[in-house]
Amino acid sequence: MATMKNVFKLAMAGTLAVSLSACGSGASNNNSNAGSSTAKPDASAAATPAAQEKKENVTITFQNIYVDPTDPKTGVLKKIVADYEAKNPNIKIELDSLNTDQQKLKLKTQAASKEVPDITIVNPAAQMKPFVDAGLLAPLNDMVEQNGLKGTFQDGLLDFYTFDKNLYALPDGNNIGVVYYNKELFEKGGVQVPKTFEEMVDVVKTLKSKGIQPMAIGEKDTWTGSFLFMNILLRTNGPGFLQQVVDGKKTFNDPAFVDAVSSFEDLVQAGAFQEGATSFDYNAGENLFKTGKAAMYYMGSWATGGIETSSVSSKVGVFKFPTVKGKGNPDEFMLAPGSGFAVSANSKHLKETKDFLNYFMLNYPKEAFAVKAAVGVGQKVDGDYKAAGYSDTAIEISNLFKEVKGGDLSFDNTMNPGTSQGHLTSIQNLFVQKKDPAEVAKEHQTAYDTNKK
């Protein structure tokens, strides 16, 4: 696999091409890739798979994490599935929609018995490697060459899902971490957008004192707190801390890591998050922000589509995660190549499943654009965002992609599963109990020493 950071820079360049092309203004700004965004795959070609000729009744199980009915991507999923079933009456797509952590847990159980659904969800890089090593996923090299599908993805993005030159999953997104904020609640609280982490903690305290919930999070899905924490670590250390640990150049006892834990606890102890945050799953946490009940929400830019169609859409702004104690570069982001659709190597309907997934991905960017959910899509998108009615916030986020100067992937996309689980549990515990940062660092080092090979 190519070096992650360099590959993501290529992916970001691809996103830039999309943004420039889509926003219209500035579209000619030195963007040599802009022409590639006009690729038009033959989406209709996949609508008549060979399986239809046989008229054999086939049921394809499609495990997914599109569970929130208010998220437009859920509607996109159901529309494409319905379209495909209408064109292929012998094919039934059985949806198994789960929250992220539920899906991860279920897939682990299914993988243990080698009963992976025809289509499932895997995260890139380190998280999907065990499934690849176990031979559970089917290579998709041949499928992406059909109907021009491969060319629809942003340059370099598929490398995150490729092992030994075999592609095993197709991502639905390519995102960065941002802080969404409710302008109306900020004005009501008399606070300004923080330029430093210390100002962010002060903003939290001020909002809290005025009865305004400062931040929302769905920490029952443990990756959410980790995603925020890693942004703090990105500031206190700079990019690449986890790789430095793997390379033996640092340990989790390093001052930069301990400092990140301490700062994260400052945010929690200031009262940033809602009461019982660990009992809110991802969707429940996000809905606090989308219904105007919280002033800030740190999340990947994939949340933009759902916020666009929520009641607070016109009130929302966005800002980069700030410096921490004067350290870090706000133009370095948490980078988030999306979860990917993978096909079971043991599928009884491998050809039909690949035909459907080919159709799904060919149509995904068009349908996502139509429902204002195209910000952060991992494929090239044709269209004028402003003319299509996207908000200024959505366009602002698209423009943020131009300013990306690198960053880090999430913890569990970088570290082995055992260490990652230790990390997720350790960070989640900080929402309910203040601990000595040095002890938290020690927990991480113990998890790493226990699980490294």
Side-chain angles (χ1 to χ4, degrees), residues 130-209:
F131 298 103
V132 173
D133 291 344
L136 296 171
L137 306 182
L140 303 176
N141 304 38
D142 55 345
M143 188 269 272
V144 295
E145 297 295 341
Q146 298 172 16
N147 309 313
L149 178 59
K150 187 175 182 179
T152 68
F153 287 90
Q154 295 167 15
D155 298 338
L157 180 58
L158 295 181
D159 287 10
F160 287 102
Y161 313 85
T162 300
F163 298 83
D164 295 330
K165 299 182 180 180
N166 282 321
L167 173 65
Y168 289 99
L170 301 177
D172 63 351
N174 192 19
N175 290 275
I176 54 176
V178 298
V179 185
Y180 300 92
Y181 73 102
N182 185 314
K183 295 177 182 177
E184 187 174 84
L185 292 181
F186 263 48
E187 183 176 353
K188 184 178 178 182
V191 297
Q192 303 292 319
V193 171
K195 293 183 174 57
T196 68
F197 183 78
E198 294 69 40
E199 288 183 4
M200 178 183 278
V201 173
D202 287 341
V203 165
V204 163
K205 291 177 179 176
T206 300
L207 292 173
K208 188 83 174 177
S209 70

Side-chain angles (χ1 to χ4, degrees), residues 344-395:
S344 169
N346 298 318
S347 171
K348 295 178 181 177
H349 309 291
L350 189 57
K351 178 177 177 4
E352 291 86 352
T353 300
K354 285 184 175 180
D355 284 341
F356 164 70
L357 185 57
N358 182 279
Y359 178 87
F360 185 90
M361 296 309 302
L362 283 172
N363 285 279
Y364 187 80
K366 178 186 67 177
E367 298 295 345
F369 182 80
V371 296
K372 300 180 184 177
V375 174
V377 166
Q379 292 164 274
K380 299 165 186 173
V381 180
D382 280 331
D384 185 328
Y385 281 39
K386 194 170 186 63
Y390 279 71
S391 70
D392 291 341
T393 302
I395 294 172

Side-chain angles (χ1 to χ4, degrees), residues 373-413:
V375 174
V377 166
Q379 292 164 274
K380 299 165 186 173
V381 180
D382 280 331
D384 185 328
Y385 281 39
K386 194 170 186 63
Y390 279 71
S391 70
D392 291 341
T393 302
I395 294 172
E396 183 181 354
I397 292 172
S398 292
N399 288 333
L400 278 183
F401 281 93
K402 304 176 194 176
E403 301 176 23
V404 174
K405 299 291 190 298
D408 275 337
L409 299 186
S410 67
F411 195 105
D412 50 3
N413 279 338

Side-chain angles (χ1 to χ4, degrees), residues 238-255:
F241 178 83
L242 297 181
Q243 188 59 52
Q244 291 165 347
V245 171
V246 171
D247 293 342
K249 297 177 181 176
K250 289 194 173 183
T251 72
F252 284 100
N253 300 313
D254 187 90

Side-chain angles (χ1 to χ4, degrees), residues 176-180 215-217 224 227-229 231 296-300 321 333-334:
I176 54 176
V178 298
V179 185
Y180 300 92
M215 300 185 82
I217 196 166
T224 56
F227 195 47
L228 192 154
F229 167 77
N231 219 328
M296 289 183 281
Y297 182 48
Y298 174 75
M299 191 41 62
F321 201 86
F333 291 77
M334 286 305 296

